[in-house]
């Protein structure tokens, strides 16, 4: 096979592929809860097609969700959790340009939540069209993301807000913050998401089912964050 490995990480044969095939395979793998393959395919997709799929906030959202799926699998698999423990490099921030690299894919079980933060930050930056309010809320000015991705925003940002993607990315990031015990950070993101949702609930381009799902997610995460930050 030209242009890469002849097998996926799970041992199945991989044909010669295009970004479209990678994208569609990732969606199917995610729906089948094969989160490793979902991440592998989508990360390769945005890496080899930065001018198309790399500009889609929903691709980065799917990457972040796949990272959470990988994290959940680790928590549920005692043997896998044991193999990962002690090998985590304690990285607190993942370079966005690292996503989809050979090294990234070979270390897919390590730091999945940190990967999720990077991917969700990309999703938020793109789907908000680089809105500084959202960027300042989720991206520290001294972060790797700020230094390497924010200067590219005029090139990668969407022309229009993708409100469903933006709200889902924020809500998902709040969940990641909770898992990392950053309760104050999770609560701040929940409040931002609630305000965004309230201001845009009646827009014609909203998906009612997705909007309701996001609202319920944020309510749960907000309550949990409030419990831990009270007093």
């Amino acid at each position: 096979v030209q242009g890469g490995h002849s097998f996926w990480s799970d041992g199945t044969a991989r044909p010669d592929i295009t970004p479209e095939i990678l994208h569609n395979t990732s969606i199917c793998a995610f729906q089948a809860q094969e989160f490793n393959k979902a991440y592998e395919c989508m990360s390769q997709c945005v890496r080899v097609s930065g001018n198309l799929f790399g500009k889609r906030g929903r691709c980065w959202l799917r990457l972040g969700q796949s990272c959470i799926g990988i994290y959940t699998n680790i928590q549920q698999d005692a043997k896998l959790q044991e193999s990962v423990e002690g090998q985590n490099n304690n990285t607190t921030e993942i370079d966005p340009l690292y996503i989809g690299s050979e090294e990234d894919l070979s270390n897919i079980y390590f730091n999945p939540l940190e990967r999720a933060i990077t991917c969700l930050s990309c999703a938020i930056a793109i789907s908000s069209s680089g809105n500084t309010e959202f960027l300042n809320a989720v991206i520290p000015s001294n972060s790797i993301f700020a230094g390497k991705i924010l200067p590219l925003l005029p090139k990668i940002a969407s022309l229009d807000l993708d409100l469903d993607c933006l709200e889902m990315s924020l809500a998902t990031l709040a969940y990641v913050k909770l898992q990392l015990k950053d309760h104050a950070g999770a609560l701040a993101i929940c409040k931002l998401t609630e305000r965004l949702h309230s201001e845009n609930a009646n827009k014609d381009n909203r998906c009612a089912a997705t909007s309701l799902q996001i609202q319920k997610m944020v309510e749960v995460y907000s309550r949990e964050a409030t419990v831990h930050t009270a007093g």
Side-chain angles (χ1 to χ4, degrees), residues 2 49 66 77 132 150 153 166 168-169 195 198 229:
Q2 297 178 352
S49 182
S66 297
D77 189 326
T132 55
L150 293 188
L153 274 178
L166 176 56
M168 182 62 79
S169 299
R195 181 170 63 80
S198 176
T229 55

Side-chain angles (χ1 to χ4, degrees), residues 31-217:
Q31 293 174 343
Q33 298 187 5
E34 297 176 4
F35 300 116
N36 286 34
K37 180 178 283 188
Y39 178 86
E40 183 176 354
C41 292
M42 192 63 79
S43 63
Q44 287 288 289
C45 176
V46 299
R47 191 174 183 86
V48 301
S49 182
N51 289 327
L52 180 59
F53 291 101
K55 294 181 179 180
R56 295 183 182 179
R58 291 174 185 247
C59 292
W60 290 97
L61 170 59
R62 185 69 74 192
L63 275 171
Q65 292 171 328
S66 297
C67 291
I68 292 172
I70 293 169
Y71 169 79
T72 301
N73 287 343
I74 293 172
Q75 301 307 304
Q76 295 175 347
D77 189 326
K79 290 184 178 179
L80 182 57
Q81 189 172 8
E82 183 178 353
S83 69
V84 171
E85 288 179 353
Q87 299 187 53
N88 193 308
N89 61 16
N90 295 317
T91 300
T92 57
E93 202 169 31
I94 302 293
D95 187 337
L97 303 182
Y98 175 81
I99 301 297
S101 66
E102 292 292 335
E103 183 180 359
D104 176 39
L105 298 181
S106 66
N107 292 285
I108 201 167
Y109 284 111
F110 307 123
N111 303 309
L113 293 182
E114 286 74 12
R115 277 181 176 80
I117 289 176
T118 292
C119 295
L120 294 170
S121 296
C122 287
I124 291 165
I126 294 171
S127 59
S128 70
S129 292
N131 185 295
T132 55
E133 179 180 10
F134 299 107
L135 300 181
N136 292 336
V138 302
I139 305 168
S141 60
N142 61 343
S143 71
I144 292 174
F145 184 88
K148 294 196 175 183
I149 294 299
L150 293 188
L152 300 177
L153 274 178
K155 298 179 182 179
I156 68 174
S158 305
L159 293 177
D160 300 307
L161 286 174
D162 184 343
L163 290 169
D164 286 337
C165 179
L166 176 56
E167 287 187 16
M168 182 62 79
S169 299
L170 286 166
T172 306
L173 182 59
Y175 171 82
V176 173
K177 294 282 188 180
L178 287 175
Q179 298 306 304
L180 293 172
K181 311 301 182 185
D182 181 6
H183 302 112
L187 185 58
I189 292 173
C190 285
K191 290 180 178 178
L192 179 62
T193 311
E194 288 172 340
R195 181 170 63 80
L196 177 68
H197 182 83
S198 176
E199 292 174 351
N200 297 281
N202 297 320
K203 292 289 181 67
D204 292 337
N205 61 344
R206 303 305 304 274
C207 172
T210 300
S211 182
L212 181 60
Q213 178 188 8
I214 294 169
Q215 188 176 9
K216 290 182 176 179
M217 289 170 60

